[in-house]
Amino acid sequence: MAFRIRYHYRKQQKEIGYANDKHHSLYDAIAAAEGLNLAEFHRMEAQLANISRNDKKTLKEFREEYFRKLGFSQVTIFREE
């Protein structure tokens, strides 16, 4: 089964396909679809991961807040039927 991602970006609802073998995460997929460069984000995420080992909640909150500042909201993933 294939996955789909539905999200809002700049007040427009969008939907894209998603495959684990092409993207590191669903946030990488939506950034690629919108043409955003995430080099700075990945650098900061790696630093945070080194500091807060075994604290997945902190990493998740960081990702969500970073993408919220970029203008993304209501990011959901679901299976295509």
Side-chain angles (χ1 to χ4, degrees), residues 41-59:
F41 166 73
H42 288 300
R43 187 185 63 76
M44 290 188 305
E45 185 181 39
Q47 287 178 349
L48 184 61
N50 287 335
I51 293 170
S52 60
R53 294 180 187 230
N54 299 326
D55 189 5
K56 293 183 181 184
K57 182 180 177 185
T58 301
L59 284 172

Side-chain angles (χ1 to χ4, degrees), residues 39-80:
E40 182 69 18
F41 166 73
H42 288 300
R43 187 185 63 76
M44 290 188 305
E45 185 181 39
Q47 287 178 349
L48 184 61
N50 287 335
I51 293 170
S52 60
R53 294 180 187 230
N54 299 326
D55 189 5
K56 293 183 181 184
K57 182 180 177 185
T58 301
L59 284 172
K60 181 179 177 181
E61 289 174 356
F62 169 73
R63 277 188 217 108
E64 290 174 353
E65 182 62 27
Y66 187 88
F67 279 85
R68 196 173 300 120
K69 287 179 183 177
L70 290 176
F72 292 96
S73 64
Q74 299 177 5
V75 178
T76 57
I77 186 168
F78 58 94
R79 287 189 188 264
E80 222 175 41

